[in-house]
Amino acid sequence: MSDPTQNKPDADERQRALSAVELRVQGNTYAQIAAALDYADESGA
């Protein structure tokens, strides 16, 4: 069995994900979110 603690995001990753959700709720496109949060492209947002 794998160790589930190895897959936990750190605090910065959680904050970035929360920011992405907030931006999406505000009506931003995935491309806009990616640009705002420095994701490589919109598939990461």
Side-chain angles (χ1 to χ4, degrees):
M1 186 186 297
S2 66
D3 183 0
T5 63
Q6 297 299 318
N7 295 326
K8 286 186 177 179
D10 66 21
D12 291 336
E13 291 170 347
R14 286 192 300 270
Q15 183 57 50
R16 191 176 184 201
L18 178 60
S19 296
V21 170
E22 290 171 345
L23 289 169
R24 185 65 181 147
V25 168
Q26 293 171 7
N28 290 279
T29 66
Y30 290 110
Q32 291 169 322
I33 295 167
L37 299 178
D38 284 335
Y39 283 101
D41 60 39
E42 62 189 72
S43 68

